[in-house]
Amino acid sequence: MPQIALNEIEATVAAALQRHGAVPWIAASVARAVRKAEAVGNRICGLYYLESYCRQLHSGRVKGDVEPVVSRPRPGAVVVDALFGFAQPAFERALPEAVAAARECGVASLAVGHAHTCTSLGYFTEQIAREGLIGLGMTNASPIVAPPGGNTRVIGTNPIAFSVPDGAGGRAMQFDQSTTTVALGKITMAKAAGEQIPEGWAIDAEGRPTTDPAAAIGGSLVSLGGPKGWGFGLMAELLAAGMTGGVVSRDVRPLKAPEGAPHDLGQYYLLMDPGTSDAFFDRLQQVVDAVALDEGARMPGQGKQDRDPVELEPAVWQQTLGLAGLA
């Protein structure tokens, strides 16, 4: 399989997005997110999404030439209207104001409204952590999860991400996970590959456990930990939609469909200044040291390194080159 440098991946993705209607700074912003996803092996948030980005730019389902509008209606609240464009450039434009608000107030919120799917939520909370702040983020998605005991899909996989600074410009820990047992992308990839899925990931339309990815997509994913994960999914739903003006999951059309209404999703972030407590980094170190007592144990995200170059499936890279007009 070809080994492709991250710089080449980023440049090719940016070229593909511009070719399909994104202005240069927006294409560059999205390309950086795709680069990061590929660097950490997050395939479902990387080049896997590029074709749909391009097709939706062409159809107008996502706007590639809008200027996000940033406002600060209250001292600790920052709002950005993505205007049905990509989430990455909207967050990029709003982050400096949100960081300033958090440093002034101790805690601040950042509400990104009317945006395209953000794909990897941890990509954004990590940026918050690298500013020296604790970042908590959540979003919603197209409906694929029924409540425990029910069959009607009400919410999406509704991920939550949490990133903690290390006090030296990096991050000490990070997790980014759906509130379902598994992300929907893993099931769609299994379906495309003709593979079965493990029992416990999903139920079919009649509420029966299934190992068939097609039946899972026609049924419901299972909340992580049952009712406990369902509660976290609802928390993400209410904050991501209610605090941003985005749609609820029931009104989100399939995210990769080339045509249709804009995603109109919201992402909601809390930025917390650890400097409001003189104990935070001491307690963080105590926890890190305790985790390290067992060989092989680690904090979430600890020790992960970006890969460069990245090994890609030949068909994936050929498609990428084709979208950029280079093949």
Side-chain angles (χ1 to χ4, degrees):
M1 290 193 289
Q3 299 275 338
I4 310 298
L6 290 177
N7 283 345
E8 186 174 359
I9 290 174
E10 182 179 345
T12 306
V13 169
L17 294 170
Q18 287 188 61
R19 184 169 180 250
H20 288 82
V23 297
W25 83 269
I26 289 176
S29 183
V30 177
R32 284 191 291 272
V34 172
R35 172 195 176 119
K36 182 63 176 181
E38 291 294 336
V40 298
N42 185 1
R43 292 175 57 201
I44 61 174
C45 291
L47 293 172
Y48 173 75
Y49 252 97
L50 181 60
E51 182 185 22
S52 73
Y53 287 159
C54 291
R55 294 175 73 183
Q56 290 174 7
L57 278 167
H58 181 74
S59 71
R61 192 175 183 204
V62 61
K63 308 300 182 186
D65 59 353
V66 291
E67 289 286 331
V69 179
V70 181
S71 61
R72 189 170 168 185
R74 297 187 184 181
V78 175
V79 175
V80 56
D81 187 342
L83 299 174
F84 304 124
F86 288 103
Q88 293 87 352
F91 181 91
E92 181 180 315
R93 283 290 169 89
L95 182 60
E97 189 71 19
V99 168
R103 288 177 178 155
E104 292 170 19
C105 302
V107 178
S109 64
L110 169 55
V112 181
H114 311 302
H116 199 259
T117 178
C118 68
T119 55
S120 175
L121 195 61
Y123 174 73
F124 303 93
T125 59
E126 180 172 4
Q127 293 179 60
I128 294 170
R130 294 193 182 281
E131 292 287 346
L133 303 170
I134 302 163
L136 174 65
M138 55 207 75
T139 189
N140 60 342
S142 47
I144 193 64
V145 183
N151 294 333
T152 301
R153 299 187 293 192
V154 176
I155 63 173
T157 54
N158 291 14
I160 297 172
F162 182 67
S163 301
V164 175
D166 62 7
R171 59 171 173 81
M173 68 163 280
Q174 174 172 303
F175 67 79
D176 177 3
Q177 61 192 54
S178 65
T179 52
T180 49
T181 301
V182 68
L184 177 60
K186 290 191 176 181
I187 293 181
T188 57
M189 290 177 74
K191 180 176 181 291
E195 299 171 350
Q196 296 292 290
I197 60 173
E199 188 169 321
W201 281 13
I203 57 175
D204 64 18
E206 283 72 47
R208 300 170 300 200
T210 183
T211 60
D212 179 356
I217 292 169
S220 169
L221 302 194
V222 174
S223 293
L224 182 67
K228 296 178 182 179
W230 169 248
F232 279 116
L234 288 176
M235 178 186 72
E237 179 80 8
L238 294 175
L239 292 176
M243 299 299 286
T244 69
V247 295
V248 297
S249 290
R250 292 270 291 171
D251 291 333
V252 181
R253 303 279 73 81
L255 295 180
K256 295 188 74 177
E259 298 180 343
H263 291 177
D264 197 11
L265 288 166
Q267 297 96 40
Y268 189 71
Y269 302 92
L270 291 177
L271 297 80
M272 296 157 271
D273 186 353
T276 59
S277 167
D278 59 10
F280 181 81
F281 287 107
D282 174 74
R283 302 304 187 269
L284 171 63
Q285 191 59 51
Q286 289 184 41
V287 173
V288 170
D289 292 344
V291 171
L293 291 174
D294 291 328
E295 185 176 355
R298 61 178 178 83
M299 299 284 282
Q302 185 179 28
K304 287 190 175 181
Q305 300 292 326
D306 288 2
R307 300 175 301 167
D308 192 7
V310 175
E311 186 174 85
L312 298 175
E313 294 284 347
V316 171
W317 185 237
Q318 280 302 119
Q319 181 187 64
T320 302
L321 292 172
L323 290 168
L326 301 174

